[in-house]
Amino acid sequence: MSEQTSWIKQTSATHVGHGGQEWWRTSAVYQVYPRSWADSNGDGVGDLPGITAKLPYLRDLGVDALWISPFYTSPMADAGYDVADYRDIDPLFGTLADADKLIARAHELDLRVIVDLVPNHSSDEHEWFKAALAAGPGSPERERYLFRDGKGENGELPPNDWQAIFGGNAWTRVSDADGNPEQWYLHLFDPKQPDFNWNNPEVRDEFVSILTFWLDRGVDGFRVDVAHSLIKADGLPDHAAHAQMAGTGDASHDNGGPMWDQEGVHEIYRAWRELLDSYNPRDADGYDSAADRAMCAEAWVSPPERLARYVRPDEFHQAFNFAFLETPWRAADLHESITSSYRSNDSVGAPTTWVLSNHDVVRHATRLALPVGQPRPNGIRAEDPQPDAALGLRRALAATALELALPGGAYLYQGEELGLPDHTTMPDEARQDPTWERSEHTEAGRDGCRVPMPWVKDAPSFGFGPSEATWLPQPEVYGDLAVDQQDGVAGSTLEFYRRMLRERHARELGSGSLTWVEGAGDDDVVAFVNSRDGHEDLWVVTNFGEPVALPDDTFVVLSSGDADSLTVERDVTVWFTRA
Ligand code: NOJ
C-alpha cells in the first residue's frame, strides 16, 4: 500500500461552476445508434418504433436526453451518414409519423431528443447531386458541390492531393451523358458522400430550412457531424503544400489540413445559433432555459483552445471532448486533460463535455485493455492480439465513474451501461464500414462497436428484435451481458450505471466546481472534490497504481471496485464524502 498521509483540497478551484440553469450545461446524453438499438419488425436493423418502445429503459437508466444517429433517407453507404433526403425518414427506420411519435413519447418521459445533422456532405443519391451531374460543368446545380476540372493534359489527374478519410483519393471523376470523362468532385469521406459547397448561399439557406423543419417538429437539438470541415481553404491548395505554409511541416496533422477548422465555419454556426435562440421561449418571467434548443459540435480539433472557438457564446452550446476520449489511462495525462479542458471551455463560458465511447471508436471497455499510450486502432480483428476483457471492463467502470463525477455534460454510448466490449472477432466478410474496403483491408473499421444490443439472453438475436436477423453478427459473450441478465442484479454494470446517474443527478454534480486534491498517495491517483452550494462536497479518486487508503472519516458513496473497502485498488474509482 502506498504511504498516504493526508488528503488536501487545494485552495483554489480549477473549474468554478457556471451557475447557469440551462439543461445542456449538465446533461447526461445517451447515444442511440438506430441500426443497432432495437428492431421492431425483425428485418435485422433497428428502427424508430423499436426506439420508442424502449424509451422507458432510458428513463430508468437516468439520462436526460438521447441523441439519435442519422435516420434520414439514405442508400446507407456510410450507415446513414450519407443523406439523400434531410426531411424524411429512411423506410428501414420507419416514417415521419414514427419520428413524431418518438419525440412525443420521449417528451412525455421527460427525455430530450437530439438529432444528427450531416451538413458537410450529402449522399450522391441526393436530388441536388443527381441534378448537378445532369446539368454539367458551369451550371448553378454544380455550384452546390465542389466540382473542379482535373489537372494534366486531359484533366485526367485529380485537382489536388487530398486523401479521403476512409481511404483512397478524395476526388472522383464523373462522366458526361455519352460516357466521356469530365469534371471531378470532392468527397472527404466516401465517393458516395459528395461535399457541399458552403460558400454558396443556396446551401446555407437550405440548411437553415432543414434545421427549421426539425425544430418545428419539436427536437431539442442537433449533433452536428464533422462541424470543422464545411469550409475549405480558398483555392483548395494541396494538403502537403498547405501544411508547409502553415509551418507544421506535417501533412497528416488534421488541423494543418486545408479542409479542417477554417475560420469561415464560425459564421455558419453563428447563424444557426440565432435560429435556435429564436425558438427559446421568453415570457413575462424571463427566459426559460429549461426549454432551450441546443447544438453539439463533432469537431476533431486540437488543441482544446481551438475547439473552444466553436463554443463561444454565439456558436455551439457544446462540443464533444475527444481529447479526453483519447487520453492515455495514466493519472498525469488525465489530470492534464481535465485541467486543459476546463481552462479552454471556461475561457468562453461553455460547459465541458466528457465522452469515452461512440459509434466511431473502439468501445472503452475494450480500448482501455490495449497497451497504454499506443495510438487507438480503427477496429480490432480476430487475427489481432485479443484484449483482456476483465481488465478492460474494470478500467471502463473506473473511467466512467471518473467521467460522471466531473462537472459539465456527459455523453454515453448505447450498451456501455452493460459493459459491452467491441466484437473483436467479427468475420471480415460481415464488415460493413466502408473503411474496410476503401482502406484495402488495412483498417478493420468501426463495425466492432456498432453491433446490435442484447436485451434478453434466451431470445432470438438476444432480444434485439423478434427474429434471428441482425445486420452485424453479435458475439456470444453478449448473451451474458444482456439487459435481462443485469436488470435488478446487485453488482451488475447496469445497476452501477443507474446508481452513478442517480447520484450524479441528486447531487447535481454536473453543475459543480472542481478542486484538485493533493497528497492522496502519490502520482498514480487522480483525486478531486466536486462542490456545489447546498450539497456536501463529493470527493472522487481514481487509482492507477498501488492500493491507496482512504481518509479515516470517509463515507463511501459508490465504488467501481469493492464498495465495502476503505482501500482503493488499482483501476478503481471511488466517490466518497467526509465527516
Ligand atoms: C462522423 C460520423 O460520426 C461518422 O460515423 C461518419 O462516418 C463521418 N462523420 C462522415 O459523416
Side-chain angles (χ1 to χ4, degrees):
M1 171 126 27
S2 65
E3 216 30 56
Q4 181 261 309
T5 47
S6 54
W7 293 67
I8 302 164
K9 187 176 161 184
Q10 285 184 353
T11 44
S12 62
T14 287
H15 163 74
V16 177
H18 180 274
Q21 292 305 304
E22 301 97 334
W23 64 270
W24 43 269
R25 290 191 176 276
T26 59
S27 50
V29 184
Y30 183 98
Q31 180 188 359
V32 170
Y33 193 65
R35 303 177 72 82
S36 296
W37 206 51
D39 173 17
S40 72
N41 60 9
D43 66 356
V45 180
D47 45 46
L48 299 190
I51 298 174
T52 305
K54 300 273 190 206
L55 287 173
Y57 170 81
L58 291 186
R59 182 65 280 163
D60 295 346
L61 182 60
V63 295
D64 305 293
L66 62 153
W67 145 38
I68 311 174
S69 282
F71 45 42
Y72 311 106
T73 314
S74 166
M76 303 290 162
D78 184 20
Y81 281 93
D82 48 318
V83 180
D85 183 348
Y86 291 86
R87 296 182 184 81
D88 207 351
I89 307 293
D90 196 275
L92 203 53
F93 297 133
T95 62
L96 271 178
D98 291 329
D100 291 341
K101 280 187 207 146
L102 190 163
I103 295 166
R105 179 72 181 129
H107 288 166
E108 268 169 30
L109 294 171
D110 214 10
L111 291 164
R112 293 189 163 84
V113 180
I114 296 170
V115 297
D116 212 312
L117 188 77
V118 189
N120 178 69
H121 45 264
S122 70
S123 162
D124 65 341
E125 296 181 32
H126 190 286
E127 286 309 321
W128 274 14
F129 193 75
K130 291 196 246 171
L133 290 184
S139 62
E141 287 84 353
R142 287 234 168 155
E143 271 306 298
R144 295 163 173 161
Y145 292 90
L146 292 165
F147 281 88
R148 294 289 183 276
D149 293 334
K151 286 184 178 162
E153 215 172 307
N154 301 305
E156 71 281 10
L157 299 173
N160 69 23
D161 68 354
W162 297 4
Q163 296 298 296
I165 301 293
F166 297 153
N169 207 292
W171 294 91
T172 291
R173 194 170 192 188
V174 301
S175 302
D176 66 18
D178 302 325
N180 302 312
E182 39 116 312
Q183 287 192 302
W184 300 70
Y185 68 90
L186 178 72
H187 49 83
L188 291 184
F189 291 88
D190 193 86
K192 285 189 69 66
Q193 294 167 299
D195 280 44
F196 282 115
N197 172 16
W198 271 92
N199 288 320
N200 182 344
E202 205 187 343
V203 172
R204 295 187 185 220
D205 291 348
E206 173 66 359
F207 271 87
V208 166
S209 157
I210 292 165
L211 284 160
T212 305
F213 178 87
W214 288 101
L215 289 165
D216 288 347
R217 291 200 109 80
V219 304
D220 299 282
F222 302 92
R223 173 269 188 193
V224 178
D225 194 61
V226 274
H228 58 315
S229 63
L230 274 49
I231 297 289
K232 283 76 177 173
D234 280 349
L236 309 182
D238 278 347
H239 194 168
H242 185 274
Q244 275 146 23
M245 260 159 35
T248 69
D250 174 11
S252 67
H253 184 258
D254 269 0
N255 296 357
M259 64 294 275
W260 307 121
D261 194 26
Q262 301 293 311
E263 189 55 34
V265 295
H266 296 286
E267 69 178 24
I268 299 171
Y269 301 128
R270 282 188 207 109
W272 292 9
R273 179 65 180 257
E274 257 184 51
L275 175 69
L276 264 65
D277 282 350
S278 74
Y279 277 78
N280 297 339
R282 286 166 177 77
D283 57 25
D285 301 330
Y287 168 58
D288 177 6
S289 55
D292 262 6
R293 316 288 179 107
M295 49 182 190
C296 177
E298 190 229 16
W300 292 81
V301 168
S302 64
E305 291 72 27
R306 286 298 296 182
L307 185 60
R309 304 177 79 248
Y310 289 75
V311 286
R312 288 176 287 193
D314 57 351
E315 298 191 39
F316 282 94
H317 302 73
Q318 299 179 322
F320 292 118
N321 185 351
F322 293 128
F324 178 70
L325 182 154
E326 302 278 22
T327 304
W329 187 243
R330 284 189 297 241
D333 296 272
L334 281 157
H335 191 286
E336 165 53 25
S337 170
I338 294 167
T339 303
S340 60
S341 299
Y342 283 126
R343 190 171 48 232
S344 50
N345 287 304
D346 288 352
S347 74
V348 289
T352 296
T353 65
W354 307 103
V355 55
L356 290 165
S357 282
N358 65 31
H359 66 293
D360 288 330
V361 301
V362 172
R363 287 175 174 277
H364 65 292
T366 299
R367 194 175 73 235
L368 291 174
L370 298 172
V372 175
Q374 303 282 311
R376 171 172 56 79
N378 189 357
I380 296 173
R381 296 176 62 203
E383 65 188 39
D384 295 327
Q386 292 297 300
D388 173 343
L391 176 66
L393 181 58
R394 181 179 172 86
R395 288 183 175 165
L397 296 182
T400 307
L402 171 66
E403 171 189 36
L404 291 179
L406 289 166
Y411 276 84
L412 305 175
Y413 177 49
Q414 66 179 39
E416 66 167 271
E417 76 280 14
L418 305 176
L420 295 187
D422 259 39
H423 190 339
T424 55
T425 55
M426 183 182 290
D428 288 337
E429 315 78 75
R431 298 194 182 284
Q432 311 237 358
D433 181 352
T435 307
W436 173 240
E437 289 302 330
R438 301 281 175 214
S439 72
E440 297 178 344
H441 302 178
T442 56
E443 294 194 27
R446 303 159 292 178
D447 295 303
C449 67
R450 298 176 171 181
V451 173
M453 278 274 284
W455 295 91
V456 180
K457 181 178 182 183
D458 294 314
S461 63
F462 295 138
F464 168 61
S467 76
E468 289 289 357
T470 57
W471 71 284
L472 286 173
Q474 298 165 301
E476 218 33 60
V477 63
Y478 274 30
D480 289 337
L481 297 171
V483 172
D484 77 325
Q485 300 299 295
Q486 303 198 41
D487 189 18
V489 175
S492 69
T493 300
L494 177 58
E495 291 302 334
F496 184 57
Y497 265 73
R498 287 176 174 160
R499 180 89 195 283
M500 287 190 288
L501 287 160
R502 206 163 47 233
E503 292 287 353
R504 175 188 156 89
H505 203 257
R507 293 170 188 270
E508 300 187 283
L509 298 181
S511 61
S513 300
L514 177 138
T515 309
W516 291 116
V517 168
E518 287 170 354
D522 53 25
D523 292 344
D524 282 337
V525 304
V526 166
F528 62 87
V529 174
N530 179 325
S531 24
R532 291 87 51 231
D533 287 343
H535 291 278
E536 58 189 337
D537 278 0
L538 185 81
W539 293 63
V540 180
V541 58
T542 305
N543 187 11
F544 299 81
E546 294 301 311
V548 168
L550 290 168
D552 293 339
D553 57 353
T554 290
F555 173 77
V556 174
V557 174
L558 58 80
S559 168
S560 70
D562 176 3
D564 294 329
S565 169
L566 284 185
T567 300
V568 191
E569 305 287 339
R570 186 192 298 269
D571 297 327
V572 165
T573 294
V574 180
W575 297 5
F576 61 101
T577 55
R578 299 183 65 180

